Amino acid sequence: MPERPRVVIAGGGVAAIEALLALRHLVGEQVTVVLLAPERSFVHRPSSVASPFGLGGPAPLDIQAVAEQQGARLRRAGLRTIDPIRRFVTLTTGDALSYDALLVAVGAVPRPVVPGAIAFAGPAQAAEVTAVLDAVERGDARRVAFAVPAGAT
């Protein structure tokens, strides 16, 4: 029996998880899937903006459990390099992994745009936002501005 094509999905965020779910829905077990994710859990970062306001977001998902549930193999590593000619990737662990199809969904890297502003990129900034809200409540901060880039919702 011929070996099933290997699909490597690089990333542990929403796009990678959605791709894994969609791939299984569309082709079932016709392909072998390897998920590359350095994170142990998936946190829906946009929902975490509610936590400083006392609202909870969805609980983090265990990426290993999601991968197992979808019949995928999880490699706890990030993507370092891609060799599209020889069809292999190098992982942050130094290992090489071959692929028949590669989906790169490593996400965006948040960058500060407004000097001195809190660039909310997820749960790591929740304490900073909480500190600003506390300063407003105490009267230490009298003005707050929210800046949203064009095209964002």
Side-chain angles (χ1 to χ4, degrees):
M1 181 176 199
E3 201 171 302
R4 294 182 293 174
R6 182 187 307 197
V7 177
V8 173
I9 300 173
V14 68
I17 300 295
E18 288 284 340
L20 173 59
L21 297 173
L23 188 62
R24 279 298 181 229
H25 177 74
L26 293 171
V27 300
E29 297 294 322
Q30 295 178 41
V31 296
T32 298
V33 180
V34 179
L35 179 64
L36 305 178
E39 305 86 5
R40 293 199 174 280
S41 60
F42 163 72
V43 176
H44 189 253
R45 292 187 312 178
S47 297
S48 64
V49 74
S51 64
F53 299 95
L55 305 171
L61 294 176
D62 180 301
I63 293 178
Q64 177 72 46
V66 172
E68 288 174 5
Q69 187 179 63
Q70 296 302 314
R73 179 172 171 231
L74 175 66
R75 292 288 303 265
R76 194 155 324 278
L79 180 64
R80 180 176 288 155
T81 63
I82 302 169
D83 184 334
I85 303 299
R86 294 187 290 181
R87 299 186 109 154
F88 77 86
V89 294
T90 305
L91 312 182
T92 52
T93 59
D95 297 332
L97 182 64
S98 65
Y99 64 85
D100 294 296
L102 173 66
L103 189 145
V104 179
V106 295
V109 177
R111 295 181 298 138
V113 178
V114 179
I118 299 168
F120 193 88
Q125 286 75 41
E128 295 175 65
V129 174
T130 299
V132 170
L133 295 174
D134 290 346
V136 170
E137 275 189 352
R138 289 190 311 270
D140 296 340
R142 299 174 67 147
R143 295 183 189 152
V144 177
F146 291 90
V148 179
T153 58

